[in-house]
Amino acid sequence: MRYDLNLLPIFVALMEERNVTRAAQRVGMTQPALSNALSRLRVMLQDQLFIRERYGIQPTPIALELAPTIAESLAKLDDAVLGQQAFDPAKAERVFTIAPNGYVEFVLVPAVVARLQKIAPGIKLRLTPYGNDLAETGVVSGTTALVLGRIVDPPDNLVVQHLMEESLACAVRADHPTVADTMTRAQFEALKHVNIMPPGRMRAGLFQALAQQDLKREVAISVTNFFAVAEMVAATDYCATLPSLICQRLRQDPRLKVLPTPVDLGTFPVEMAWHVRYRQDPAHRWLRGLIADVVRDLSASA
């Protein structure tokens, strides 16, 4: 039997998007053309494959059984073809969509953009937020090049790379009336604190670390991003417990001082994940390598 291989990427798009309109947009087809392709898929694979429901489509048992084999086969084909293509970052004109969490956007993305400006000025980044849901970033479907932050329970079609372990430190105003160059457990617990509440897993990680050390913290105010912390701490006697690389940036502010945490609060991972179809894509591999190099340089200077 002869198979139309052009139909297989459409099958994968339908499987991952679970929505005909989004799948059509992803593969660059009109919705009627994709519906026609789905009809041919059903004939080729001798199954209904997808059933319409109120909020989209759901795969049949046979579609679920075929999906891993088809996705893996297409990924291997991409690896074989894309691995032969050359990529010159100095001449490339391209936009990559990436999904950093709040920490990565504050600490890492500016350094990545600065390096791109020097060695690949035609490459631009488009940022989309990464909170709790990997699927909402577009990385699971492959519409987003990569996601950066803490990756928890990734699906099988994502490749995850560990970038570094990040620790925590405390920031208070430089002329704080009760805190000198170190902070005791008693001082930490007596202070009021600025809490960072970005969407994502890091907030839960900090609460867990405090609980494990039985370290109490009275939260006076919660803010939604790291950019607000410096102004909040500089204007009050409050304390903020932050990732060390953020505190390294805050050291440049003469209004603030950075201190070790009174007890060891451990570390949290910073990771990068991307769709398997981009595993051997030369442009994507180059971008991931650049990001890993920037992370190593930042860690070495900490």
Side-chain angles (χ1 to χ4, degrees), residues 122-296:
I123 292 181
K124 299 176 176 61
L125 298 181
R126 174 183 175 272
L127 271 57
T128 188
Y130 169 36
N132 281 319
D133 193 339
L134 280 169
E136 289 182 356
T137 67
V139 72
V140 176
S141 65
T143 55
T144 293
L146 53 89
V147 63
L148 291 149
R150 190 169 186 177
I151 315 297
V152 180
D153 299 327
D156 292 340
N157 67 345
L158 292 190
V159 181
V160 179
Q161 178 181 343
H162 182 271
L163 293 173
M164 68 176 184
E165 289 289 322
E166 172 68 301
S167 58
L168 296 164
C170 292
V172 297
R173 66 185 178 96
D175 56 348
H176 197 282
T178 63
V179 178
D181 295 330
T182 59
M183 185 185 301
T184 66
R185 173 189 283 266
Q187 286 176 316
F188 183 95
E189 294 184 335
L191 291 173
K192 293 185 178 179
H193 292 258
V194 180
N195 184 46
I196 317 299
M197 293 190 66
R201 306 277 184 165
M202 192 169 67
R203 175 169 58 91
L206 176 57
F207 277 95
Q208 290 167 3
L210 292 169
Q212 288 171 358
Q213 294 291 342
D214 194 25
L215 190 62
K216 297 177 176 59
R217 184 178 63 150
E218 180 185 350
V219 174
I221 185 168
S222 293
V223 297
T224 58
N225 61 74
F226 293 108
F227 298 96
V229 175
E231 298 305 318
M232 197 68 64
V233 172
T236 66
D237 293 336
Y238 298 166
C239 171
T241 303
L242 302 164
S244 294
L245 285 179
I246 289 181
C247 285
Q248 182 178 341
R249 292 266 297 273
L250 297 184
R251 288 182 191 276
Q252 302 169 17
D253 190 328
R255 301 172 302 167
L256 307 176
K257 60 183 175 184
V258 174
L259 311 167
T261 56
V263 299
D264 184 3
L265 294 177
T267 62
F268 64 89
V270 180
E271 298 156 317
M272 174 167 58
W274 60 92
H275 197 286
V276 292
R277 76 165 59 98
Y278 299 131
R279 186 165 41 201
Q280 297 299 331
D281 182 293
H284 285 253
R285 291 178 65 184
W286 177 84
L287 178 63
R288 296 194 300 265
L290 180 141
I291 290 172
D293 287 344
V294 170
V295 170
R296 280 192 291 270

